[in-house]
Amino acid sequence: QHKMEQIEMLRKLFDEKIIIIINNFLDNPEKKFSLTQIASLSKINVSTTLRILDKLVKQDVIELILTGKSKSYKLKQSEKTLTLNKILKKEDHIQEFVERLKKDFKIKKIILEVKNEDGAKLLIVGALLSKEKINALAKDIKNKYNFKIQFVEISEKQFLEMKEIGLYNLNKKIIWERI
């Protein structure tokens, strides 16, 4: 409980507008946004959004992508953004699950299929995964936070086949990948 109070205090210290903008990127870690998209999504005027984005690019939280004459912005995947995610997101249960799960080197990718208040459904890509281990971890999260994580394990071959037939927009939903 003490940790939650510290996190709440940190959230209050941040400028609310910065939090709103960062959260939009954290919610869509793979998506590239234009300035106007992020401004309208955040309901913050364009000049303020630009000022905040410039600050976040300098802080190495957001990356600026130049394509011809157009600029887009995307979350920079790093330890810094993982930490921000933990601080700003009240529901870091999935993140905790991923952090603990990725220690298993057989796991190659984790895909978030569905998420709501009470739980999440994940696809876990890898070879010869220990279902007991993953179940134990999911049960631990359930007991700690009353947050139910359901999952299906698939092989990398199955993942590629599913991607090939366009079954899912899988790349957009990858929340962790072994590089």
Side-chain angles (χ1 to χ4, degrees):
Q1 198 57 41
H2 186 63
K3 184 176 181 261
M4 286 311 295
E5 286 166 22
Q6 289 175 319
I7 289 173
E8 272 310 303
M9 188 186 79
L10 277 171
R11 287 175 65 118
K12 287 176 187 149
L13 287 174
F14 278 110
D15 174 352
E16 196 57 38
K17 288 176 180 167
I18 294 174
I19 292 176
I20 293 167
I21 289 174
I22 292 173
N23 274 336
N24 282 318
F25 284 100
L26 291 173
D27 289 341
N28 304 282
E30 297 301 319
K31 190 169 161 57
K32 292 177 189 165
F33 293 98
S34 69
L35 171 62
T36 49
Q37 280 174 323
I38 204 73
S40 77
L41 192 62
S42 306
K43 296 176 177 60
I44 298 168
N45 73 54
V46 174
S47 58
T48 304
T49 301
L50 181 61
R51 189 174 45 77
I52 292 170
L53 285 173
D54 284 344
K55 193 190 253 181
L56 293 172
V57 168
K58 280 191 188 91
Q59 292 293 321
D60 234 18
V61 173
I62 303 296
E63 56 183 308
L64 172 61
I65 299 156
L66 298 167
T67 321
K69 283 186 177 171
S70 69
K71 289 180 178 181
S72 58
Y73 299 86
K74 185 176 174 282
L75 183 72
K76 194 161 195 163
Q77 298 289 357
S78 66
E79 283 301 313
K80 194 184 266 187
T81 53
L82 272 177
T83 305
L84 269 175
N85 199 16
K86 282 183 186 153
I87 294 170
L88 297 178
K89 290 284 169 204
K90 285 194 168 99
E91 67 287 348
D92 58 352
H93 320 317
I94 296 174
Q95 199 58 48
E96 182 178 326
F97 183 79
V98 169
E99 287 298 314
R100 289 167 65 188
L101 199 57
K102 73 183 192 188
K103 291 177 184 135
D104 182 341
F105 284 97
K106 294 193 271 293
I107 292 170
K108 302 300 177 201
K109 291 180 183 64
I110 300 170
I111 296 149
L112 177 62
E113 192 46 50
V114 184
K115 178 178 131 190
N116 58 35
E117 299 297 299
D118 320 310
K121 292 180 181 170
L122 305 175
L123 283 176
I124 300 174
V125 183
L128 306 164
L129 303 175
S130 160
K131 192 162 184 149
E132 295 76 40
K133 237 190 206 165
I134 304 169
N135 269 327
L137 193 51
K139 194 176 175 187
D140 188 43
I141 299 285
K142 172 87 174 117
N143 294 339
K144 254 163 105 175
Y145 306 109
N146 196 23
F147 187 84
K148 186 178 184 183
I149 293 178
Q150 296 170 292
F151 63 90
V152 175
E153 319 101 297
I154 61 171
S155 68
E156 288 195 88
K157 184 177 184 288
Q158 286 169 312
F159 170 78
L160 292 170
E161 287 168 355
M162 286 163 76
K163 206 167 116 178
E164 219 164 88
I165 62 168
L167 194 58
Y168 291 108
N169 192 352
L170 292 174
N171 278 346
K172 293 274 179 269
K173 297 180 176 181
I174 295 173
I175 53 173
W176 180 81
E177 197 166 4
R178 191 169 305 285
I179 299 166

